[in-house]
Amino acid sequence: MSEHGCAHYAAFVKEFGLDPFSFVHAYFSACINKDARRRKALSCLCHKCGSSGPQLYSCLHCIFFGCKGAHINEHCKHSKHYIALELSYGMIYCYQCKDFIYDSECQAIAEKHIKKEAKSLNKSLSWRPWSPSKLEIDLLLKNPKRRHVTAFTSIGLRGLLNLGSTCFMNCIVQALIHTPLLRDYFLSERHECPAKTSAKCLVCEVSCLFQEFYSGARGPLSLHRLLHLIWNHARHLAGYEQQDAHEFFIATLDVLHRHCKISMNEMAAEKSKHSQQQPQQDTNPTQCNCIIDQIFTGGLQSDVVCQACNGVSTTIDPFWDISLDLGEAQNQGYGGPPKSLIDCLERFTRAEHLGSSAKIKCSSCKSYQESTKQLSMRTLPIVASFHLKRFEHSSLIDKKISTFISFPSELDMTPFMSKKKSEQLSPSASSSSVLKSSKSSDRKHTSSSSISEDVAGPSNQDNSDFRYSLYAVINHVGTLDAGHYTAYVRHQKDIWVKCDDHIITTATLKQVLDSEGYLLFYHKKILEYE
């Protein structure tokens, strides 16, 4: 399609000019002033059914309003009027081409209308896709050299200097840098931070790191500023001794989440101040739309079934990762320790009989009764991360479990969803099953309190796809006292690299799957949009 639209629209413009588009877009799409908003409210209704939407089209030949589908289609067919404007997004549609079309002159008119609308409503412009200005186009033409991204490009790969037992930090940063949606968020400069907090903002520092990684430079980076910020905001990690990579991962997400939330609230308050409105109050602290929660937060469902009346008490807790036991399941008869990630997840989601020493007051029969407890996945995050609990700490001995645990490159989480579990086990069947799960204090949650169904989302998720693809693995080699962390990350499709502090080497998928995994990161294969 040329920048002047299709041949049918070119003929329309030759006969009628640009005025029909300009008028309809100004008054019924962008609504450039108060009079336009009044006109749209009074007259912008489907001429067939009187509906206001949700998606209306306006014929540009005669300003006929019609609902998307039969009503506007019927008008165009009988009147031979083939050019219409979709009013929600201001897009031109040609019923002869049966497609939306682009016209550069109309786009310029639309941009002016959108700015007038924003000024009239005293609001900022909504997010728009980037398009180069004339100055930027001239600069691009004068500097024709381009950085071509090939199958073997090193862009996005940087080694990280070890600052003294900081391999635990380096491997987590490599995993985060290669998280696709997190990369897209920071490279598109979506993070906005008030100047007064940016020097202390971990999100700003991470944003700079993404820019450094994808700048095309190849030398190793030093993470001293990031380490200092983490020390300031997660004091339990401060010091020069080796830390646990899993603890660092959770602490980093927590600080990023808090800083994102602070920045979002401050920006909202600043905008409200300029628009002479009261800042909106955060009425529900468990609901957050920051990039960390969008990518990493899921909902873990816990069902406790009373053995007397079969009453079920359900709570849902948010989580950033799932911690999985690797040791023997004591007195449960499961045939020894798990041998694969699937074994771990099956054991994690089996029902556990709580016994007579842990009676819980049933909300149905109002008495203390023995019960069973079963965990399942209510909602899954975009990135599902699993922590294989290789470090055991007790009053007698601290040890590392070096058992090989196999994990797949492609993972289907459907069997572990709450709906699937409820289909498999009725309350009576649940009571005879057993679960040996990790203690709740060992599972890392964003909050110790339960979250509502509004936050967790619907449990059935019939249209969701629960298939995941492996993209990063954190390994720990050596003993508990003298160990070292490395990371495997998927650089591009079918291309894996090993990150060992400042050394980056190519790797095969077999090497990844044969490694002694400690933290496993899976990315959702198909994303659902609301």
Side-chain angles (χ1 to χ4, degrees), residues 95-111:
Y95 278 88
Q96 284 188 303
C97 293
K98 298 189 184 308
D99 199 1
F100 290 101
I101 62 174
Y102 170 83
D103 181 87
S104 58
E105 291 180 306
C106 291
Q107 181 64 29
I109 293 171
E111 291 293 336

Side-chain angles (χ1 to χ4, degrees), residues 137-402:
I137 292 173
D138 291 339
L139 288 172
L140 289 169
L141 292 173
K142 290 176 183 178
N143 297 275
K145 186 178 179 181
R146 300 286 187 271
R147 181 179 291 123
H148 295 287
V149 179
T150 66
F152 302 101
T153 183
S154 62
I155 295 175
L157 294 177
R158 298 288 294 270
L160 298 172
L161 296 174
N162 193 314
L163 305 177
S165 300
T166 58
C167 56
F168 68 92
M169 172 177 64
N170 291 348
C171 65
I172 294 300
V173 168
Q174 293 286 6
L176 293 177
I177 289 291
H178 287 86
T179 299
L181 288 186
L182 204 60
R183 174 199 63 204
D184 295 348
Y185 175 83
F186 283 111
L187 290 185
S188 60
E189 298 181 341
R190 299 292 298 278
H191 172 62
E192 298 181 40
C193 189
K196 61 184 179 183
T197 62
S198 59
K200 299 179 181 179
C201 178
L202 183 69
V203 192
C204 291
E205 179 60 30
V206 171
S207 181
C208 291
L209 274 180
F210 274 90
Q211 303 298 328
E212 291 283 357
F213 263 83
Y214 288 90
S215 66
R218 298 185 179 185
L221 291 168
S222 171
L223 301 182
H224 57 280
R225 292 193 304 271
L226 177 71
L227 184 63
H228 182 257
L229 284 170
I230 291 289
W231 282 1
N232 284 340
H233 296 284
R235 297 298 177 91
H236 64 289
L237 294 176
Y240 295 98
E241 66 276 5
Q242 178 73 278
Q243 299 288 349
D244 179 57
H246 176 247
E247 282 192 55
F248 183 83
F249 170 62
I250 295 301
T252 301
L253 290 191
D254 182 57
V255 178
L256 284 171
H257 160 72
R258 285 190 277 124
H259 281 214
C260 280
K261 196 169 184 177
I262 290 170
S263 296
M264 290 165 64
N265 289 342
E266 288 185 358
M267 293 298 294
E270 190 71 18
K271 290 177 181 178
S272 298
K273 179 181 177 182
H274 287 303
S275 62
Q276 298 180 343
Q277 296 176 354
Q278 292 296 321
Q280 294 181 351
Q281 299 298 317
D282 190 355
T283 56
N284 190 344
T286 63
Q287 294 191 38
C288 179
N289 198 38
C290 77
I291 189 63
I292 299 303
D293 277 343
Q294 287 185 52
I295 295 176
F296 293 97
T297 299
L300 183 67
Q301 180 167 318
S302 174
D303 294 312
V304 177
V305 183
C306 174
Q307 296 300 283
C309 69
N310 284 337
V312 181
S313 175
T314 299
T315 57
I316 304 163
D317 288 315
F319 69 87
W320 278 332
D321 77 333
I322 296 293
S323 291
L324 300 167
D325 282 318
L326 303 184
E328 294 275 357
Q330 300 296 328
N331 302 321
Q332 304 298 329
Y334 290 152
K339 297 179 181 179
S340 68
L341 175 62
I342 300 299
D343 289 346
C344 293
L345 288 168
E346 286 177 349
R347 190 164 77 169
F348 184 78
T349 55
R350 284 193 183 109
E352 173 190 14
H353 184 70
L354 298 181
S356 58
S357 61
K359 290 184 178 181
I360 296 175
K361 187 174 183 179
C362 176
S363 58
S364 298
C365 56
K366 308 300 182 184
S367 60
Y368 286 91
Q369 300 288 346
E370 292 187 25
S371 57
T372 61
K373 178 181 178 182
Q374 182 167 29
L375 300 175
S376 58
M377 309 298 162
R378 174 77 167 204
T379 56
L380 283 170
I382 293 172
V383 169
S385 53
F386 302 101
H387 166 221
L388 303 182
K389 297 170 69 175
R390 294 194 175 276
F391 304 136
E392 279 194 353
H393 303 280
S394 67
S395 57
L396 298 176
I397 188 172
D398 293 338
K399 68 174 184 177
K400 177 187 173 183
I401 301 174
S402 297

